[in-house]
Amino acid sequence: MTIRSQLLKGILDGCVLAVIEKEPVYGYELSRKLQNIGLADVSEGTIYPVLLRLQKNKLITGEMKPSESGPNRKYYSLTPAGKEALIVISEEWNQLSIPINALLTKGVDSNESK
């Protein structure tokens, strides 16, 4: 497993919740949206286990709806618990990403850490 895939695995739930927060989506559409923002390694095979886990944890719900082009599709929406989880994930991400970005892009002076 590459470093990139390990990092992505750690934050993928938050990414999925963030996309679903904007509007209900079905699995393939969700995968495409994530790929379009630059997460090219997120395939449908990666998305469906995440969706199942989030649904099992009651962070999202799924509803079958008719499709204009083919069989019905399961559209996913955030639950109130999912909205709360997204807030927590976003806060945690900010608390981690800001200092890590500073460290990796600028380095850290040993006197600054005291």
Side-chain angles (χ1 to χ4, degrees):
M1 186 179 274
T2 66
I3 291 173
R4 178 182 170 89
S5 61
Q6 289 176 356
L7 292 170
L8 183 57
K9 183 178 180 184
I11 194 62
L12 189 55
D13 287 7
C15 295
V16 168
L17 292 174
V19 170
I20 294 173
E21 179 191 36
K22 307 288 184 260
E23 63 181 332
V25 294
Y26 58 95
Y28 178 77
E29 180 183 24
L30 175 62
S31 175
R32 289 289 167 238
K33 286 179 182 269
L34 291 169
Q35 290 174 359
N36 288 341
I37 64 164
L39 299 175
D41 357 30
V42 180
S43 66
E44 286 178 80
T46 304
I47 288 297
Y48 286 107
V50 172
L51 290 170
L52 288 172
R53 184 177 61 253
L54 293 174
Q55 194 168 11
K56 181 179 177 184
N57 292 331
K58 298 185 180 0
L59 300 180
I60 62 173
T61 60
E63 180 183 354
M64 295 301 286
K65 294 183 179 180
S67 169
E68 294 176 8
S69 59
N72 291 347
R73 294 180 175 151
K74 191 172 194 177
Y75 282 82
Y76 296 93
S77 302
L78 288 188
T79 63
K83 290 178 184 182
E84 290 176 27
L86 180 56
I87 290 168
V88 171
I89 291 168
S90 296
E91 289 170 352
E92 293 291 330
W93 177 253
N94 284 331
Q95 290 176 9
L96 287 171
S97 66
I98 292 169
I100 290 170
N101 282 337
L103 177 63
L104 294 177
T105 58
K106 301 174 191 163
V108 67
D109 184 319
S110 61
N111 293 328
E112 290 178 11
S113 62
K114 294 181 181 177

